[in-house]
Every structure is written in C-alpha cells, then in structure tokens.
Amino acid sequence: MTTSHYIAGRWVEGQGSDCISVNDPALGQPFAELKAASVAQVDQAVTAARGALPAWKNTSASERAAYLRGFAEQLGQRREALITLQMRNNGKPRHEAEIDLEDAIATFGYYAELAEQLPSKNRDVPLAAPGFSARTRLEPVGVVGLIVPWNFPLVTSAWKLAPALAAGCTVVLKPSEVTPLIEQAYGQIADALGLPPGVLNIVNGKAETGAALSNHNGLDKLSFTGSNSVGSQVMRSASAQCRPVTLELGGKSAIVVFDDCDVGQAVEWIVAGITWNAGQMCSATSRLLVQDGIADALLPRLQAALEQLRVGNPLTEEVDMGPLTSQAQWLKVAGYFATAREEGLQCLAGGKALDREGWFVSPTLYADVPKDSRLWTEEIFGPVLCARRFATEEQAIAEANDSRFGLVATVCSADLERAERVADALEVGHVWINSVQAVFVETSWGGTKGSGIGRELGPWGLSAYQSVKHVTRCLG
Ligand code: NAD
C-alpha cells in the first residue's frame, strides 16, 4: 500500500472505500495498491487550497516563475524513474515515455516565462472618452479542481498545473485511478521546492473521488480532461453552481491523404497517427480519407507497415507499440473487433487481441468502412484505423467534418496551397500539414463540437486560469 495523497503539504493515507490496483499492462498484473481518498479528504484538500490562495495569489510573478522552473528542473532529475514508471504502468515504449517527460518539462519552462511577463499585461487601457482612465488587472480564477485521464499522465497534468500555478491559482489535482503513481512526482517536487502547503494538493481515487471534487462548492473552476460521458457529468456539476469549466474530451479525427503524396511518407504519418501510445490518444487520426488515385497503391503498403510493427513489453523488448493501458480498454477495443465482424467490415490488418499475457491488440486496419459504421463514428481509443476513399477536395472536407467531434486533423499533400485551404475548412481545434501529432507548447490544444470547451497550452492555457478585471477612474 502506498501513501498516496498530498494534502496541505503532507502525505496521507487514503481513507476512502475504494482500493486501487496499479497494473503492469504488459503482464496484466498489479504491482502496487493504494486506498482512494475519501470524500472528507477531498474536502480537506479543497479547504487547504482555499487557505493557501490569499498568500499564493499575492506572490510576485517572478516568485511563481521560479517555482515553475524548479518543477521543470526536478522533473529532469527524476527522468529515469519517471520514464520507467510510464513504461511499466502505461505500457509506453521508451521513446514515447521520454517525449512525454520532455513535454512536461517544456510546459513548466514555458509557463515560467509567461508568468514573468504577467506584470506587463496589467496595463492602462487607452480610452476614446475623455475624463477617465482605465487599467486591466489579470487575476487568478481562484481554487481550481483538475481532473485528468491516464493516457498521458505527466503531460495532461502539466498542461493544467503549470498555467494554473503561473496564474496564481491554488490547485486540487485528481489523477486517473489507472495511473495514480506517476503524478505523485508533482507532490514530491512541491515538497522538495518548499512550495507553500495547500498550493498543490493531490487526491487519488476513482469516479467517487472525481465526483466529490467536481461537485465541491469550494472550487472556483474545474478543468477536466477525459471522456465525453464523464465530461458531461462534470459540466452538469459546474452548471449547478454556475462556475466555469474547461473540457478536453474525445475525438475521432481524420487524416486526409491526397493523391500527390509520396506513398511511403504518407504511410509513415498514417501509422504514427494511429499507433502512437497504442492509439490511446484523444488526437488519434483514426479516420483515414484517402484519394482514389493513390488508394490502391497506399492500402497494401499500409497493411504491411501495420503488420510489421513490433508489439510487445516495452520493459523487456524493443517495441514500436506497447499494450493497451488497462484491461477495461482492452475489453472495449475487443468489443469493437466483434462489432466489426458483425458489421462485415473488410479487415486488412489485425482485428484481434494478441494471444499472449497482458492487454495487447494488433494494429488494425479496416477498409471501405461505411459512414454509418460504429467504427467510423465512435471513439475507440486503440490502434484501430478505418479507411474510406474520396474523389474530390470538397468530398474530403465534407467527410472529415461529418463527425460529432472536432479535435484535430492531418492533411497530407504536396500541394501546399491546397493543404492550407483544406486546413482552413476543417472544423477542428488543430490541423497538422504533412506532419503528425506535433504539439508545441506555444500553440493551442482543444477542440470544437463534442471535443470540448476551451483551450490549453499557449497564452490561451494561461487565460483559462485568469479572470479579467478593469479598474476605471474618473479623472475629474
Ligand atoms: P474518464 O472520463 O473515464 O476519466 C477521466 C477522469 O475522470 C479520471 O480521473 C476519472 O477517475 C475521473 N472520473 C470518472 N468518473 C467521474 C465522475 N463521475 N466525476 C468526476 N470525475 C470522474 O476518461 P479516461 O478513460 O481516463 O480517458 C480517456 C478519455 O479521455 C478519452 O475519451 C480521450 O479522448 C479523452 N482525452 C482527451 C484529451 C484532450 O485533450 N481532449 C486528452 C486525453 C484524453
């Protein structure tokens, strides 16, 4: 059992009724256990954050920036332990675990810089009317609850934690019950840096703990990343209390491949967009739209590339793709394989669980998938790619936009004018042209339609934790 909750600057044991097993998905075996936080402990965490707020929000921006730089440095000092833990608990290949760590480090560094620029944002507003002066003041939203999923634990938490602390908010973070140990690093770092008690609190647990946090009336804002079904519950709690919410939800994103592409290069982009993190990405490009003129050449090469991927235990083998992170996810993906069989889909690769211990599935490709197939419309969250052909640019845009989600898209074309035109027409939050899943801390993250509300990263990620105040004075 691990002491796993960080409340008011102290590590405490869970007093909740749920017991959480932390699993190695490559073996399908638990390697740690912890007790969830109780509802009373969630309350203690929110109370601690409330108590810490007046002093924290009045720290200077440069003081907060120094703490954020400390987070970046200390993450670097824990590099090997954090990479290994992600490999063991998420099943990430080493190079992916390394990139996640680098992303988290870059995020803290970036928001340290933005924090330092904050004083210059509090400035006079030129008024057309005579006789008055006005100034802007960007204030922290207050106490924020942060609820995150398991697929990129270090990263998703960093994208919320760093801007929230930079803005002067205090925080209660609830990591996913699937990966509850990884974000403990943030509590350990807070300890090591001497972050004032209560500024960062971490409570672990399942749905009950998440609901206790999202329903808590002591929060000023809730920022949630996760599924649409839980996101809508979180939004209901926010609406009951009329308080702001940021939602980063699911996706069913398109990758559009025009017939002027180099086939080999396109195959690389397509494979990466669906097999990175074993396809467990909100931004997985799981709907392939391929133009008629290239489809017959591309699909067999894609099939071969998926079949050649090395799938295995990242801790003991050289792999391109690890297992799915949880048994629940493995069962869900297996359910979609069964649906594909019932629907009579044409399977060009995979379509089955691997016959070995652990929660592995084969990288999968279905071709000519009907538009009304559940596999074409629903988020699967696994390495399952569905393909359709298109004739014209207009048709590609219409099919890509024909989704209740709108998170990201990829456009592959040698004709850059066309690629930019298509990017502009896509109803999503982020488009990649001739690249794949390249996320930079300076650009925004978030979706349109059912993919969520609000943006993370960049200056927009900081604004999400700020409240705008104006002070207007009569000069007469
Ligand atoms: P999930 O919604 O099941 O869980 C997310 C978090 O919510 C977990 O911490 C969980 O414990 C908590 N939770 C569960 N029930 C709750 C409740 N009733 N009230 C409050 N909190 C509750 O999602 P998941 O399975 O962990 O993650 C996968 C989903 O996350 C996918 O849909 C994926 O697309 C989405 N996701 C989105 C982004 C993005 O940036 N848009 C990034 C990563 C993942």
Side-chain angles (χ1 to χ4, degrees):
M1 293 292 243
T2 320
T3 304
S4 47
H5 314 281
Y6 186 63
I7 301 174
R10 296 181 50 214
W11 290 99
V12 293
E13 284 185 24
Q15 291 165 357
S17 49
D18 282 332
C19 199
I20 301 171
S21 282
V22 189
N23 295 302
D24 180 337
L27 304 176
Q29 299 286 341
F31 64 89
E33 257 193 351
L34 52 99
K35 273 197 98 181
S38 65
V39 171
Q41 287 179 307
V42 173
D43 183 53
Q44 287 161 17
V46 175
T47 305
R50 177 65 57 197
L53 182 64
W56 180 248
K57 75 177 186 182
N58 285 317
T59 50
S60 69
S62 58
E63 208 176 319
R64 295 201 296 280
Y67 279 114
L68 291 173
R69 292 223 164 77
F71 271 89
E73 268 169 39
Q74 295 259 342
L75 279 169
Q77 286 169 19
R78 290 164 170 75
R79 175 177 299 275
E80 198 47 39
L82 285 171
I83 287 170
T84 308
L85 188 53
Q86 292 178 87
M87 291 166 72
R88 188 169 190 199
N89 191 190
N90 278 99
K92 287 177 192 273
R94 170 170 277 276
H95 64 281
E96 294 190 20
E98 284 170 355
I99 286 179
D100 280 15
L101 181 74
E102 292 306 332
D103 186 318
I105 292 173
T107 303
F108 279 98
Y110 173 75
Y111 283 107
E113 268 178 43
L114 285 204
E116 274 165 346
Q117 293 163 16
L118 274 178
S120 67
K121 310 269 178 204
N122 289 346
R123 56 178 169 236
D124 290 344
V125 183
L127 301 175
F132 287 88
S133 73
R135 65 184 167 90
T136 309
R137 202 175 133 77
L138 295 174
E139 298 190 338
V141 164
V143 176
V144 292
L146 311 177
I147 300 181
V148 293
W150 44 264
N151 57 337
F152 292 94
L154 272 183
V155 173
T156 321
S157 295
W159 288 7
K160 295 185 191 302
L161 206 49
L165 295 179
C169 293
T170 56
V171 162
V172 180
L173 170 69
K174 198 209 80 69
S176 167
E177 63 273 30
V178 179
T179 50
L181 302 181
I182 295 171
E183 283 110 319
Q184 292 206 14
Y186 291 129
Q188 289 155 2
I189 291 172
D191 256 354
L193 296 175
L195 191 74
V199 171
L200 164 62
N201 305 273
I202 304 174
V203 288
N204 274 297
K206 301 182 183 174
E208 188 196 21
T209 313
L213 182 58
S214 67
N215 290 330
H216 202 289
N217 60 15
L219 298 181
D220 298 306
K221 168 158 189 172
L222 195 113
S223 180
F224 171 84
T225 299
S227 64
N228 282 62
S229 58
V230 177
S232 71
Q233 293 177 51
V234 164
M235 194 167 168
R236 265 196 294 280
S237 341
S239 86
Q241 313 200 28
C242 287
R243 70 171 170 228
V245 64
T246 293
L247 298 176
E248 297 289 349
L249 305 176
K252 187 75 185 178
S253 300
I255 177 164
V256 182
V257 180
F258 286 95
D259 61 10
D260 56 3
C261 281
D262 174 79
V263 173
Q265 178 62 78
V267 165
E268 259 181 50
W269 289 326
I270 298 165
V271 169
I274 193 64
T275 61
W276 192 268
N277 209 28
Q280 302 163 117
M281 296 183 287
C282 51
S283 56
T285 39
S286 52
R287 292 186 298 142
L288 167 63
L289 289 163
V290 55
Q291 198 164 23
D292 287 332
I294 199 176
D296 287 337
L298 184 138
L299 289 172
R301 299 257 310 254
L302 180 56
Q303 171 183 12
L306 289 170
E307 284 173 350
Q308 278 159 20
L309 287 180
R310 297 163 302 173
V311 181
N313 182 346
L315 283 174
T316 57
E317 303 160 55
E318 274 284 311
V319 298
D320 302 306
M321 193 181 96
L324 297 178
T325 300
S326 72
Q327 188 176 32
Q329 198 53 38
W330 184 66
L331 291 170
K332 182 179 169 196
V333 173
Y336 278 102
F337 292 150
T339 304
R341 284 192 290 276
E342 282 158 26
E343 290 185 359
L345 297 189
Q346 184 193 347
C347 182
L348 294 188
K352 55 183 188 311
L354 289 195
D355 186 16
R356 59 177 284 173
E357 66 183 356
W359 302 319
F360 292 93
V361 296
S362 327
T364 296
L365 171 62
Y366 296 108
D368 299 321
V369 177
K371 269 199 287 191
D372 60 356
S373 164
R374 283 186 52 206
L375 280 87
W376 184 258
T377 55
E378 296 177 12
E379 182 183 51
I380 298 174
F381 225 55
V384 182
L385 179 64
C386 294
R388 285 177 60 77
R389 297 164 196 244
F390 68 89
T392 64
E393 182 180 320
E394 292 69 29
Q395 194 189 347
I397 293 168
E399 290 220 7
N401 285 341
D402 185 13
S403 169
R404 73 186 181 98
F405 297 107
L407 191 57
V408 300
T410 299
V411 182
C412 311
S413 174
D415 177 348
L416 294 181
E417 239 176 70
R418 168 168 66 186
E420 295 283 352
R421 195 167 59 231
V422 173
D424 289 352
L426 292 172
E427 297 162 354
V428 296
H430 204 125
V431 181
W432 293 295
I433 293 176
N434 296 338
S435 60
V436 67
Q437 306 284 332
V439 181
F440 300 101
V441 70
E442 298 86 355
T443 59
S444 73
W445 188 258
T448 63
K449 303 196 270 189
S451 289
I453 298 174
R455 292 290 181 272
E456 298 195 304
L457 294 184
W460 308 276
L462 183 63
S463 306
Y465 297 98
Q466 288 175 321
S467 171
V468 179
K469 181 192 270 184
H470 280 103
V471 179
T472 301
R473 182 163 26 133
C474 177
L475 299 174

